[in-house]
């Protein structure tokens, strides 16, 4: 079964991506985690996301399409990336999520994929 791991990061976590003092350790922790996941053979797809400031949000209100710069909401944590894994059950997905170096991870079972 496929599960999506949504990795959330704080503003401070996003800042570590470019901070000369913290960048190397930040990148190394994620590189190790992603390598272990890929080597396990369970990764279906993955993507790291740029910082929330780069987002553009589309929303509909009263039939009108609105375009907003930035994330949909201002929160303490934003999605920093996602990884879709194929594992037997939720317990296994949670075990992999627990190894993530991020601030928090949301684990969700996927709906059936859309056929091409």
């Amino acid at each position: 079964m496929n599960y999506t791991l949504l990795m959330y990061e704080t503003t401070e976590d996003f800042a570590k991506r470019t901070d000369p003092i913290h960048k190397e350790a930040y990148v190394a922790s994620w590189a190790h985690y992603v390598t272990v996941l890929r080597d396990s053979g369970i990764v279906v797809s993955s993507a790291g996301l740029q910082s929330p400031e780069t987002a553009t949000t589309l929303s509909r209100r009263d039939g009108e399409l609105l375009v907003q710069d930035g994330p949909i909401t201002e929160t303490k944590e934003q999605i920093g990336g996602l990884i879709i894994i194929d594992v037997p059950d939720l317990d296994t997905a949670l075990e992999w999520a627990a190894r993530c170096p991020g601030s928090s991870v949301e684990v969700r079972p996927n709906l059936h994929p859309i056929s091409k």
Side-chain angles (χ1 to χ4, degrees):
M1 173 152 192
N2 287 356
Y3 290 87
T4 297
L5 309 180
L6 298 163
M7 285 65 171
Y8 288 85
E9 295 191 318
T10 64
T11 303
E12 293 79 18
D13 292 333
F14 277 105
K16 289 177 185 175
R17 293 177 174 194
T18 56
D19 182 315
I21 297 171
H22 299 102
K23 181 179 180 177
E24 187 176 332
Y26 173 89
V27 170
S29 67
W30 279 103
H32 175 73
Y33 180 63
V34 170
T35 298
V36 171
L37 275 168
R38 288 197 186 281
D39 289 351
S40 74
I42 64 171
V43 175
V44 174
S45 181
S46 65
L49 301 176
Q50 292 188 20
S51 64
E53 297 81 34
T54 65
T56 303
T57 301
L58 300 176
S59 58
R60 293 188 195 279
R61 292 200 186 112
D62 299 322
E64 184 179 347
L65 185 62
L66 305 171
V67 180
Q68 167 188 323
D69 289 335
I72 196 162
T73 59
E74 292 295 325
T75 61
K76 291 183 180 181
E77 293 183 323
Q78 296 283 342
I79 298 174
L82 61 94
I83 300 175
I84 299 173
I85 58 174
D86 184 10
V87 294
D89 53 41
L90 177 60
D91 288 338
T92 305
L94 292 173
E95 288 172 11
W96 282 103
R99 297 170 73 175
C100 175
S103 297
S104 58
V105 181
E106 181 178 342
V107 178
R108 285 197 210 175
N110 291 8
L111 295 173
H112 298 288
I114 298 172
S115 299
K116 292 184 179 181

